[in-house]
Amino acid sequence: MIARWWEDFHHAELLTLPGFLWARRGQLIAPDGHAPIAAMYGITSPSAADQPRPPEFTLMPSELDSKVTFHRRIMQRTSELPGATEPIGTAFLQLLRPVSERGRQLDVAIEQMRGWSGALSVSGWRSVVNAPDTSRQEVIHLRETELILAELTGDDREVLTLLARAADELPGWEISAYRQAFPARGVLLPVPR
């Protein structure tokens, strides 16, 4: 029900707001994910995420009241991207951990993963200030996080192999794998500015 609401209404409405560039959604296929769905939005600045929603926006179905929570992180890219666009894979890995002073280790992990077969692109991200405009109780604001996002090719078996490799070679991360659910495969993401 929430996936249908997101695809039929929510993502399209958000993309009409100033500062929203793109939207995508993944479906959990592997452990350590605390959410069955991961939705991502490209925004021009943190303030874009905190603007009030117009009253004509379609609300989440009332049947989901008190059954759904949204864990929100506003992240900024910390690694260089070699091109003007970033390919979306058939799946993606998310590696999360609390922000540490081990910044160099983050760069080493990103470079290591970029050499893995099946990784289309690997990027590093870090939490930014999050001053929410919303007072909705179902939104949990998460801060002080580092993220490695790896766009992958291959089927679920190949993705699970890379997840196991990440767990073995990169300890200390919460690792989740998501199947690309929306938009369609092959769409390119503009690089966040």
Side-chain angles (χ1 to χ4, degrees), residues 74-98:
I74 297 179
M75 311 290 287
Q76 183 173 23
R77 183 187 297 275
T78 60
S79 60
E80 293 296 319
L81 183 65
T85 58
E86 187 166 31
I88 292 181
T90 57
F92 55 92
L93 283 182
Q94 281 190 152
L95 286 76
L96 290 163
R97 71 178 181 192

Side-chain angles (χ1 to χ4, degrees), residues 102-179:
R102 301 172 290 189
R104 181 74 189 121
Q105 290 180 357
L106 177 65
D107 295 339
V108 170
I110 290 167
E111 286 307 311
Q112 180 178 347
M113 291 179 70
R114 285 180 175 163
W116 292 357
S117 176
L120 289 173
S121 66
V122 182
S123 55
W125 301 78
R126 188 173 179 148
S127 296
V128 296
V129 173
N130 184 1
D133 180 78
T134 181
S135 60
R136 291 173 18 218
Q137 292 183 353
E138 71 272 18
V139 178
I140 300 169
H141 301 278
L142 303 172
R143 296 182 177 94
E144 300 303 317
T145 305
E146 292 175 325
L147 164 72
I148 298 176
L149 181 66
E151 296 290 338
L152 308 176
T153 61
D155 59 22
D156 287 0
R157 182 183 52 79
E158 294 165 312
V159 171
L160 292 173
T161 299
L162 287 177
L163 182 138
R165 183 173 181 181
D168 288 344
E169 296 181 19
L170 303 168
W173 293 87
E174 175 188 308
I175 305 171
S176 307
Y178 290 86
R179 181 181 309 105

Side-chain angles (χ1 to χ4, degrees), residues 11-24:
H11 89 279
E13 291 173 338
L14 284 179
L15 291 177
T16 66
L17 294 176
F20 276 80
L21 304 172
W22 51 263
R24 68 186 290 201

Side-chain angles (χ1 to χ4, degrees), residues 57-73:
F57 271 28
T58 307
L59 298 177
M60 186 174 59
S62 59
E63 297 90 334
L64 296 174
D65 288 350
S66 73
K67 296 179 181 166
V68 175
T69 56
F70 298 94
H71 296 247
R72 184 174 102 162
R73 291 177 177 90

